């Protein structure tokens, strides 16, 4: 039996108060939906969490109390723990331009002529827009491509592929640095 593909839906932050509550940064569209996902586990599935109570704090932050976590010390020990749920527990995307990052990883990437250029290795956001990290075919090298409709006009999750219209220079070899 294969283990389910897990998707990170949040990360536990600092303890909140003295009764075992923690702050949680939610990666879900509605932070309060955290209580709807079952099971919620660590990345390795070794520990499961059941939400006993949840209240909104601000933006994408909630205050949660998990069953069995009853003290500040227990809550502090959870700081930095990621919260995961099986991909199958997530609702379907609401429109055709909405994707779960987990569904994009591993997609074959083709250019507009149909030539395979690589695969999606990861999806990143360093504070601006989303970027697809592409592992180039036949190479260990990766490049970042803006994840916009202009650069990635086709995403076919069911077909296992994405089409890229790469900006000029995207696949160029990096220039060598100054010699010592």
């Amino acid at each position: 039996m294969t283990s389910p593909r897990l998707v990170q839906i949040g990360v536990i932050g600092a303890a909140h108060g003295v009764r075992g509550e923690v702050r949680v940064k939610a990666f879900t569209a509605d932070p309060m939906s955290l209580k709807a996902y079952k099971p919620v586990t660590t990345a390795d599935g070794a520990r499961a969490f059941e939400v006993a109570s949840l209240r909104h704090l601000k933006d994408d932050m909630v205050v949660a109390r998990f069953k069995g976590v009853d003290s500040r010390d227990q809550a502090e020990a959870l700081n930095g723990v990621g919260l995961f749920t099986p991909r199958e527990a997530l609702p379907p995307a609401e429109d055709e331009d909405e994707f779960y990052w987990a569904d994009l990883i591993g997609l074959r990437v083709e250019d507009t002529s149909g030539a395979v250029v690589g695969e999606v290795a990861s999806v990143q956001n360093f504070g601006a827009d989303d970027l697809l990290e592409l592992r180039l075919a036949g190479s260990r090298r990766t490049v970042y491509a803006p994840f916009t409709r202009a650069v990635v006009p086709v995403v076919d999750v069911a077909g296992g592929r994405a089409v890229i219209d790469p900006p000029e220079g995207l696949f160029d070899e990096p220039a060598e640095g100054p010699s010592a």
Side-chain angles (χ1 to χ4, degrees), residues 70-142:
D70 301 313
S71 72
R72 183 171 183 88
D73 288 341
Q74 290 174 315
E76 286 174 346
L78 297 175
N79 193 358
V81 171
L83 299 173
F84 294 79
T85 197
R87 167 62 182 93
E88 297 73 33
L90 300 174
E94 291 184 11
D95 66 50
E96 66 181 38
D97 289 332
E98 187 176 25
F99 306 97
Y100 288 110
W101 288 8
D103 292 342
L104 301 174
I105 296 168
L107 290 181
R108 179 181 71 252
V109 179
E110 304 170 352
D111 65 17
T112 55
S113 70
V116 175
V117 297
E119 74 175 22
V120 177
S122 71
V123 183
Q124 302 291 331
N125 186 313
F126 299 112
D129 293 323
D130 293 337
L131 300 169
L132 295 181
E133 181 182 14
L134 308 178
R135 177 164 290 105
L136 301 181
S139 173
R140 293 179 51 179
R141 191 171 140 237
T142 63

Side-chain angles (χ1 to χ4, degrees), residues 9 33-41 49-51 84-86 89:
I9 59 172
S33 69
L34 185 67
K35 63 185 168 198
Y37 297 109
K38 293 176 180 138
V40 175
T41 67
F49 299 93
E50 186 176 343
V51 176
F84 294 79
T85 197

Side-chain angles (χ1 to χ4, degrees), residues 7-81:
V7 175
Q8 188 170 11
I9 59 172
V11 64
I12 299 173
H16 188 84
V18 295
R19 294 189 180 102
E21 291 182 316
V22 291
R23 293 178 187 204
V24 175
K25 179 178 175 75
F27 301 149
T28 56
D30 173 11
M32 293 300 290
S33 69
L34 185 67
K35 63 185 168 198
Y37 297 109
K38 293 176 180 138
V40 175
T41 67
T42 54
D44 61 4
R47 183 158 183 201
F49 299 93
E50 186 176 343
V51 176
S53 66
L54 191 69
R55 67 180 187 276
H56 191 256
L57 186 60
K58 62 178 182 174
D59 300 326
D60 57 357
M61 297 290 292
V62 293
V63 173
R65 192 175 69 70
F66 297 110
K67 288 187 179 177
V69 179
D70 301 313
S71 72
R72 183 171 183 88
D73 288 341
Q74 290 174 315
E76 286 174 346
L78 297 175
N79 193 358
V81 171

